[in-house]
Amino acid sequence: MNLQHLSNISTDLRNIRLVATDMDGTMTNQGKFTSVLLQALENLATAGVKVLIVTGRSAGWVSGLSSLMPVAGAMAENGGMFYPSPHLEPVALTPIPDLAVHRQHLATVFAKLQIQFPQIRESADNRFRVTDWTFDVASLTLNELQNIGNICQQLGWGFTYSNVQCHIKPQGQDKAVGLLQVLRQYFPEYSPEQIVTVGDSPNDESLFNQRYFPFSVGVANVLQYANQLQYQPAYLTTAAEGEGFCELSSYILQSFSTPKKASIEFG
């Protein structure tokens, strides 16, 4: 990757009004939220900057999480479901006419994968999912992940993975497609130049597509996937994981009190 650091940013951060961010490995530190992260979210909200969580985590898991955090909404299952707020009904971003049949088809694909990859195990949160099917990524090599992706495509399904899980999903379902739908329906007042997308893993790749999101940021740990991303983030933080998100948050917040473009050095 030949990425620009945030210290070289050419975007006027005072224009940013919405941060659409991945969660695991982007907002977390070693799998946990920190008090610094939660304070950063509070500070962004106070400054009038909305935060949308855009995660691959299950619908059931995100339903509870989004109601507890100071965020404007949360998208689950890599673009499958959206939770606008605790007071509104969840929205299915991927239409599924018959949920029972859909889940059975996903189970069948997973069973076929297990024949060739007997080490894969269903994720603990899979029972709380609606649109996709997940299994743990830890036991798989990059070559095996690529082979699994090819098999899913041959069977008529999409596939992606993060630092946490692998996802069998409907073709065409990804974070960018879901986010664009959410932005049109719930945040039509914001232009692409007022939005920053943030991520760290291959399932965040569509958020780095500058055709739709001209200002994207990868936290430093995205570098481990340097050779696996077709679309790369426009900018890179110095810090990894949640500390990288807080670095970006500090840039945005400090730009509001700076007469000109923020020029803060980190690291």
Side-chain angles (χ1 to χ4, degrees):
M1 286 186 179
N2 182 23
L3 299 179
Q4 293 288 321
H5 184 262
L6 278 175
S7 61
N8 299 319
I9 197 164
S10 59
T11 300
D12 189 344
L13 293 176
R14 291 172 297 181
N15 294 329
I16 297 300
R17 292 295 176 269
L18 188 145
V19 179
T21 177
D22 171 56
M23 188 173 60
D24 290 282
T26 302
M27 299 177 75
T28 59
N29 277 4
Q30 297 183 351
K32 304 291 185 181
F33 291 133
T34 65
S35 59
V36 177
L37 180 278
L38 295 173
Q39 186 62 60
L41 294 177
E42 291 281 5
N43 293 343
L44 287 169
T46 299
V49 178
K50 292 180 170 61
V51 174
L52 290 179
I53 294 176
V54 184
T55 180
R57 288 290 189 173
S58 69
W61 200 83
V62 172
S63 174
L65 177 74
S66 61
S67 67
L68 298 173
M69 297 184 69
V71 296
M75 193 170 71
E77 300 183 9
N78 292 309
M81 300 288 296
F82 180 61
Y83 293 83
S85 81
H87 310 294
L88 297 176
E89 290 294 318
V91 177
L93 301 176
T94 298
I96 299 175
D98 190 319
L99 181 58
V101 172
H102 179 75
R103 298 303 300 173
Q104 183 56 54
H105 286 166
L106 286 166
T108 299
V109 175
F110 179 65
K112 290 180 178 179
L113 290 176
Q114 280 190 306
I115 295 173
Q116 296 190 49
F117 306 93
Q119 74 271 37
I120 63 175
R121 295 291 181 269
E122 179 182 339
S123 299
D125 72 341
N126 192 56
R127 69 187 68 183
F128 307 119
R129 291 183 173 273
V130 177
T131 65
D132 67 354
W133 187 284
T134 55
F135 51 96
D136 296 337
V137 71
S139 63
L140 296 165
T141 66
L142 176 58
N143 186 59
E144 288 172 329
L145 289 167
Q146 292 171 339
N147 288 338
I148 288 172
N150 292 335
I151 294 170
C152 288
Q153 185 175 20
Q154 293 168 8
L155 294 173
W157 293 87
F159 175 78
T160 191
Y161 63 95
S162 68
N163 61 329
V164 178
Q165 296 169 319
C166 298
H167 303 257
I168 308 167
K169 60 189 181 70
Q171 287 186 334
Q173 177 175 304
D174 64 30
K175 290 189 175 185
V177 171
L179 178 57
L180 289 169
Q181 185 175 337
V182 166
L183 292 172
R184 286 192 300 267
Q185 185 170 349
Y186 294 93
F187 305 95
E189 68 272 26
Y190 299 135
S191 68
E193 291 72 26
Q194 293 176 295
I195 298 166
V196 55
T197 54
V198 196
D200 79 302
S201 294
N203 68 322
D204 301 317
E205 180 180 19
S206 63
L207 297 179
F208 303 145
N209 187 342
Q210 294 190 36
R211 177 182 176 186
Y212 303 112
F213 308 111
F215 180 28
S216 62
V217 175
V219 291
N221 42 301
V222 75
L223 289 173
Q224 66 184 296
Y225 300 107
N227 298 322
Q228 301 167 44
L229 299 177
Q230 177 184 355
Y231 302 113
Q232 299 180 358
Y235 295 96
L236 186 70
T237 63
T238 297
E241 297 195 288
E243 292 180 2
F245 179 88
C246 291
E247 179 182 327
L248 171 62
S249 172
S250 294
Y251 252 87
I252 295 171
L253 292 168
Q254 292 185 42
S255 72
F256 292 158
S257 58
T258 304
K260 296 182 180 180
K261 177 178 73 70
S263 57
I264 307 157
E265 295 289 343
F266 288 87

